[in-house]
Amino acid sequence: MAKIAVLGYGVVGSGTVELFYKNKDSIIKKAGKDLDIKYILDIREFPGSPYESKFTKNIDDILNDSEVTLVAEVMGGVHPAFDFVKACLEKGKSVVTSNKELVAKKGAELLKTAEANGCNFLFEASTGGAIPIIRPLHQCLAANDITAIAGILNGTTNFILTKMINEQMDFDEALKMAQQLGYAEKDPTADVEGYDACRKICILSSLAFGKHVYPDWVHCEGISKITAEDAQYAENWGGAVKLIGSVKKTADGKILPMVRPAFVCNGNQLSHVSDVFNGIMVYGDAVDQVMFYGRGAGKLPTASAIVADLIDAAKMNGTSISQKWEDSTDNSFIADYKDDVVAFYVRTEGVSKEKVAEVFGEVEYLSRENQPAGELAFIAPEMKEKDFDVKAAALGGKLLGTVRVLDLEG
Ligand code: HSE
């Protein structure tokens, strides 16, 4: 018999408890041992809840109970989650988490603590919600030299962009809807400005390339500057604007992780990933490319990954799995994104085609319905980003927007 403690009874925590009891019989069969939830930690009161007797506000109840060998951390944030998780691991209790901020900022340390204490720190739910990506990347694709990963890793922004494009909803209305549906973080800045996607690409990068990639080292841009006009140009170009988290190997042996909105052409499966769904392409020397697709956020989809990790942790019986990476002391293995060769979409006002030709040479012009007379939109030729910056500044007129074109074929 193994007892479980659930830390946090918010959207994912309540989903974890609900799913566990809904499918308890088959979960126990798959785990190969009897399991039950003994504690739910939350500072709030839940009077009348069918699980009322399990609630505690004191982490020591869990830490000091030797019956509890499995812990699901679904509180979010680094503090106090980090202290709680570390203390559980130090007591030899395996921890599973959906907390991408915790894994992205403290993953290497927690993985080391788990190994030192003969238990496991698992985080399938931290990236891609319901989508199996952590284990497939570590296990099923282990024979490959991974060359790149690119994905739509944030359900909220994909939901917002989809509503803006398909239903002409304004940004605030779409964000409110995403929050009501439980997709958005409490503070939507993390979704909208790309920090959430950044944490997830850090986790995938660390796992794929074996060294901890810290969020501060990753260039990150969100969707707050994307306009309905940009979305319309992208559609007429033959694609869609998506918030892309990616990492790729560079010619000098470094890696380039990055988060930014990008024009994704219709030939790439990622352009068809809509609403709250996430899609992740993994490129490897043997597989060429594989795609993972599914619900990237929400109560039961995320709980699905949490409960699966609990089942796996229950089966491991004191063995510590190899799904881990080394800590890194500096970021010398991260390439400078300004050296990356990329094509840009450019929207300008008050610039002539002659000037565009003088600065960029031949470009691909785009059009949209009701395009104002002074507005030009085009795709510039590929060049290093730092060279593009110089040319864009030389255009004159007014630069209304620039968006990178996703370079990974798909
Ligand atoms: N806010 C996140 C998203 C939740 O929208 O993808 C899942 O990590």
Side-chain angles (χ1 to χ4, degrees):
M1 173 66 131
K3 299 279 188 184
I4 299 166
V6 177
L7 312 187
Y9 198 62
V11 174
V12 180
S14 58
T16 299
V17 176
E18 181 184 327
L19 183 62
F20 178 81
Y21 284 111
K22 178 171 181 281
N23 295 339
K24 190 175 173 204
D25 291 346
S26 74
I27 287 168
I28 286 173
K29 265 193 206 141
K30 287 168 193 164
K33 65 170 69 149
D34 201 8
L35 298 175
D36 200 9
I37 295 174
K38 186 162 182 183
Y39 298 103
I40 304 171
L41 179 84
D42 203 294
I43 49 169
R44 297 166 294 177
E45 304 282 345
F46 294 91
S49 159
Y51 311 111
E52 207 172 348
S53 63
K54 298 180 191 294
F55 280 96
T56 175
K57 293 184 170 63
N58 189 354
I59 186 71
D60 290 334
D61 290 344
I62 294 162
L63 290 173
N64 296 329
D65 189 333
S66 59
E67 273 195 326
V68 175
T69 52
L70 303 170
V71 176
E73 185 280 303
V74 282
M75 308 166 64
V78 174
H79 297 292
F82 172 72
D83 293 329
F84 290 178
V85 169
K86 187 146 178 167
C88 288
L89 294 171
E90 280 169 348
K91 292 263 184 182
K93 301 175 195 297
S94 287
V95 178
V96 313
T97 186
S98 57
N99 188 339
K100 50 260 158 160
E101 188 176 2
L102 181 70
V103 183
K105 292 184 179 166
K106 300 283 188 182
E109 183 176 344
L110 293 171
L111 286 163
K112 208 170 153 195
T113 308
E115 191 178 13
N117 290 280
C119 55
N120 285 287
F121 179 57
L122 303 178
F123 43 90
E124 185 63 65
S126 67
T127 303
I131 305 173
I133 178 65
I134 300 294
R135 239 181 243 63
L137 191 56
H138 173 65
Q139 293 180 351
C140 316
L141 298 173
N144 286 262
D145 175 25
I146 302 294
T147 50
I149 301 170
I152 293 169
L153 301 171
N154 182 267
T156 302
T157 44
N158 206 39
F159 181 87
I160 292 170
L161 288 171
T162 305
K163 293 284 170 200
M164 283 170 76
I165 296 164
N166 294 352
E167 294 175 34
Q168 285 77 49
M169 230 181 233
D170 70 30
F171 179 88
D172 291 334
E173 199 183 348
L175 173 61
K176 203 168 156 202
M177 202 171 179
Q179 282 171 320
Q180 279 163 356
L181 290 166
Y183 303 148
E185 302 297 315
K186 266 177 257 158
D187 175 2
T189 319
D191 293 305
V192 171
E193 296 306 335
Y195 310 144
D196 177 78
C198 181
R199 290 163 190 153
K200 291 166 180 168
I201 201 63
C202 286
I203 296 168
L204 296 179
S205 304
S206 304
L207 191 59
F209 300 106
K211 282 178 95 166
H212 196 115
V213 175
Y214 286 94
D216 290 350
W217 298 346
V218 177
H219 179 71
C220 176
E221 291 172 29
I223 62 164
S224 55
K225 291 194 192 119
I226 297 296
T227 64
E229 290 80 11
D230 300 328
Q232 218 183 324
Y233 278 121
E235 209 171 357
N236 291 349
W237 167 74
V241 187
K242 296 287 178 189
L243 183 66
I244 300 292
S246 68
V247 60
K248 63 181 177 185
K249 276 188 164 179
T250 55
D252 55 3
K254 297 184 179 187
I255 60 166
L256 178 57
M258 190 155 147
V259 174
R260 74 296 193 194
F263 273 33
V264 182
C265 70
N266 284 334
N268 187 319
Q269 296 296 324
L270 292 178
S271 77
H272 307 290
V273 174
S274 299
D275 292 308
V276 73
F277 284 85
N278 284 191
I280 306 166
M281 310 283 306
V282 179
Y283 302 82
D285 59 349
V287 289
D288 182 16
Q289 54 183 268
V290 283
M291 183 173 180
F292 299 84
Y293 171 84
R295 288 189 181 275
K299 184 176 174 174
L300 291 179
T302 310
S304 158
I306 286 284
V307 175
D309 269 357
L310 285 170
I311 295 171
D312 255 14
K315 283 170 22 187
M316 279 170 207
N317 271 335
T319 52
S320 184
I321 62 162
S322 57
Q323 185 179 282
K324 53 177 82 87
W325 55 77
E326 284 172 23
D327 205 352
S328 38
T329 45
D330 63 58
N331 66 353
S332 54
F333 64 107
I334 308 280
D336 183 350
Y337 75 98
K338 288 286 176 193
D339 287 330
D340 192 35
V341 173
V342 62
F344 267 88
Y345 148 87
V346 181
R347 185 161 76 97
T348 62
E349 192 182 83
V351 179
S352 68
K353 284 193 171 178
E354 290 71 28
K355 187 69 185 175
V356 171
E358 181 193 316
V359 173
F360 282 109
E362 203 175 317
V363 301
E364 177 190 355
Y365 280 103
L366 308 180
S367 62
R368 68 176 175 96
E369 237 177 83
N370 305 320
Q371 184 172 345
E375 182 175 284
L376 281 184
F378 60 89
I379 306 286
E382 281 190 344
M383 65 190 76
K384 281 194 176 182
E385 181 157 340
K386 61 186 174 197
D387 297 332
F388 169 82
D389 291 346
V390 174
K391 286 182 186 287
L395 270 181
K398 196 169 167 193
L399 202 54
L400 298 175
T402 60
V403 183
R404 295 172 188 83
V405 176
L406 185 66
D407 62 340
L408 293 162
E409 298 297 316

